[in-house]
């Protein structure tokens, strides 16, 4: 059984970068992903996954496996998935990839995730990011990049991931995305993750910082309250 996503007017590389991301995230011992079977400029075919109710046991296994996926690492912050050398997409919007390493995670986040949206009120935070205010010791992680609850598929065999915006990023970004719109058994996921890869001190205080990029994405797509929400978050940091 297969599942086909198609879009006749898909922008260049839309499905190809998604397929590359799925392959890159298919880490031994990590979270299983939808397997890309066929890809073209207008469609992506994967294996079909049956759904099941979320359970506490599946959530804990997901947390442990997500830490393994992240620990597979990336060459630098912002690097595209192996097999792809262009930019990507998050939802319908472009997702810039870095062509060379940034000076730090903060510089990457400021220049490739926040500034492209041109939202007044974010520049002060970008300057703090570039100055290293929120850099941690963690190496670049292999992240899903769009890990909201809709891209976490609960199946009879446990969680599978779909629809990535995969790149080299900060592990806290994926975890913050899980919290943005809510995930069943989230605290169990986080505790299990922390058992495999202990999270840096103060990570809960940085959740809003890592949610700012997806909030800007939603502000660009939907406007309204997402703009004020993004500005409120930027002012906190």
């Amino acid at each position: 059984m297969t599942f086909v996503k198609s879009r006749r007017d898909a922008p260049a590389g839309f499905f190809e970068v998604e397929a590359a991301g799925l392959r890159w995230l298919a880490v031994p011992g990590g979270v299983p992903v939808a397997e890309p079977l066929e890809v073209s400029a207008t469609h992506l075919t994967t294996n079909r996954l049956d759904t099941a109710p979320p359970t506490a046991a599946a959530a804990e296994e997901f947390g442990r496996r997500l830490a393994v996926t992240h620990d597979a690492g990336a060459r630098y912050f912002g690097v595209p998935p192996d097999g792809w050398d262009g930019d990507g997409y998050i939802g319908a919007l472009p997702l810039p990839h870095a062509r060379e390493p940034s000076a730090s995670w903060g510089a990457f986040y400021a220049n490739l995730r926040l500034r492209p949206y041109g939202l007044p009120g974010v520049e002060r935070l970008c300057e703090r990011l570039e100055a290293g205010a929120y850099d941690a010791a963690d190496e670049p992680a292999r992240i899903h990049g769009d890990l909201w609850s809709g891209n976490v598929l609960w199946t009879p065999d446990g969680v599978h991931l779909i629809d990535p915006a995969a790149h080299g990023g900060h592990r806290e970004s994926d975890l913050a995305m899980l919290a943005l719109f809510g995930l069943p058994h989230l605290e169990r996921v986080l505790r299990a993750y922390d058992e495999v890869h202990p999270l840096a001190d103060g990570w809960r205080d940085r959740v809003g910082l890592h949610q700012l990029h997806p909030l800007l994405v939603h502000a660009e797509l939907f406007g309204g309250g997402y703009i004020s929400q993004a500005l409120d978050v930027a002012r906190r940091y």
Side-chain angles (χ1 to χ4, degrees):
M1 297 286 289
T2 60
F3 175 77
V4 181
K5 296 172 60 176
S6 62
R7 179 176 167 183
R8 283 188 167 278
D9 63 344
F14 186 79
F15 290 115
E16 293 92 336
V17 67
E18 181 178 341
L22 288 169
R23 296 187 187 103
W24 193 55
L25 293 170
V27 173
V31 187
V33 301
E35 180 185 0
L37 302 174
E38 182 184 355
V39 62
S40 76
T42 58
H43 78 274
L44 171 63
T45 302
T46 67
N47 60 314
R48 180 177 292 276
L49 297 166
D50 295 326
T51 60
T55 66
E60 291 171 0
E61 182 69 6
F62 171 41
R64 289 189 288 268
R65 286 181 173 270
L66 184 60
V68 173
T69 299
H70 286 169
D71 284 345
R75 288 180 291 131
Y76 54 84
F77 292 115
V79 71
D82 291 348
W84 188 254
D85 60 6
D87 289 333
Y89 297 90
I90 182 164
L93 296 181
L95 184 76
H97 287 146
R99 301 300 186 268
E100 58 186 22
S102 297
S104 64
W105 172 78
F108 150 70
Y109 194 58
N111 290 313
L112 293 185
R113 294 295 176 265
L114 304 187
R115 282 191 173 119
Y117 291 90
L119 185 65
V122 174
E123 182 56 30
R124 184 187 67 85
L125 172 57
C126 288
E127 292 171 359
R128 286 175 52 76
L129 284 161
E130 288 184 306
Y134 298 103
D135 282 322
D138 264 342
E139 296 296 317
R142 187 169 304 197
I143 71 169
H144 179 282
D146 191 13
L147 199 57
W148 71 290
S149 56
N151 288 337
V152 176
L153 199 63
W154 303 83
T155 81
D157 299 322
V159 166
H160 287 64
L161 301 182
I162 61 173
D163 297 347
H167 62 277
H170 200 304
R171 66 184 64 242
E172 292 177 13
S173 294
D174 265 358
L175 300 181
M177 191 71 157
L178 287 174
L180 185 56
F181 299 111
L183 181 82
H185 308 295
L186 177 59
E187 285 302 316
R188 287 182 179 269
V189 172
L190 296 172
R191 284 198 298 270
Y193 185 107
D194 190 61
E195 291 171 3
V196 175
H197 186 112
L199 290 159
D201 291 345
W203 71 268
R204 287 187 186 271
D205 296 331
R206 295 185 293 272
V207 168
L209 176 67
H210 289 275
Q211 290 176 341
L212 183 53
H213 173 242
L215 286 173
L216 290 172
V217 170
H218 280 72
E220 180 75 13
L221 291 172
F222 308 115
Y226 289 113
I227 297 174
S228 59
Q229 190 176 353
L231 288 172
D232 287 344
V233 169
R235 293 188 191 104
R236 293 210 314 263
Y237 295 94

